Amino acid sequence: MTETVQDRIDRVAFNADGLVAAIVQQWDTREVLMLGWMDAEALRRTLTEGRVTFWSRSRHEYWRKGDTSGNIQLVRGARLDCDGDAILLEVDQVGPACHTGTRTCFDADDLAPVSGPERGSR
């Protein structure tokens, strides 16, 4: 039996606001590009249209990445994490992913963590 798009969406553990975090990663380099939020409809559009759609928490509307900027995200894969409460989207990013014009949203503020010990040392 073939699983429907709705069957896949039903496996997602949306939060109390009806949203799930979607981590966006460049499919070939594995570079983490950004994080966005999706409700069931945004996920449905993403899974069926081949372009990433998010739910804007501030504007309370759907936005398809790149419609105004041209910096589109073409879907190459989508995976649900083990708890069902986060999605990993593998994309082919065209242009910058961040609204600031940079390739990734994660290059702005290094929190300078202490590095963990080497493997095998205690």
Side-chain angles (χ1 to χ4, degrees):
M1 180 155 67
T2 304
E3 185 178 46
T4 67
V5 171
Q6 188 59 50
D7 291 336
R8 288 177 266 158
I9 293 169
D10 288 344
R11 293 202 317 264
V12 177
F14 294 97
N15 69 17
D17 295 323
L19 301 173
V20 63
I23 302 159
V24 181
Q25 180 181 50
Q26 176 64 33
W27 74 276
D28 53 353
T29 65
R30 303 296 187 217
E31 178 182 26
V32 177
L33 300 172
M34 61 175 288
L35 174 110
W37 293 92
M38 295 180 158
D39 66 2
E41 179 59 25
L43 180 55
R44 178 178 286 100
R45 293 179 189 187
T46 298
L47 295 176
T48 61
E49 296 175 2
R51 294 261 315 270
V52 179
T53 299
F54 296 104
W55 173 255
S56 171
R57 295 176 299 161
S58 59
R59 295 188 312 261
H60 302 283
E61 65 185 15
Y62 296 103
W63 60 281
R64 191 166 69 165
K65 184 70 172 165
D67 277 353
T68 57
S69 68
N71 302 323
I72 63 174
Q73 293 174 338
L74 303 171
V75 178
R76 297 296 292 261
R79 301 188 65 83
L80 193 58
D81 81 337
C82 60
D83 297 320
D85 61 359
I87 295 170
L88 176 64
L89 296 173
E90 295 174 314
V91 305
D92 188 8
Q93 176 70 46
V94 177
C98 189
H99 70 278
T100 64
T102 60
R103 171 79 180 157
T104 173
C105 294
F106 293 100
D107 63 356
D109 191 3
D110 186 349
L111 298 177
V114 172
S115 294
E118 296 291 322
R119 283 183 72 156
S121 63
R122 297 199 185 240

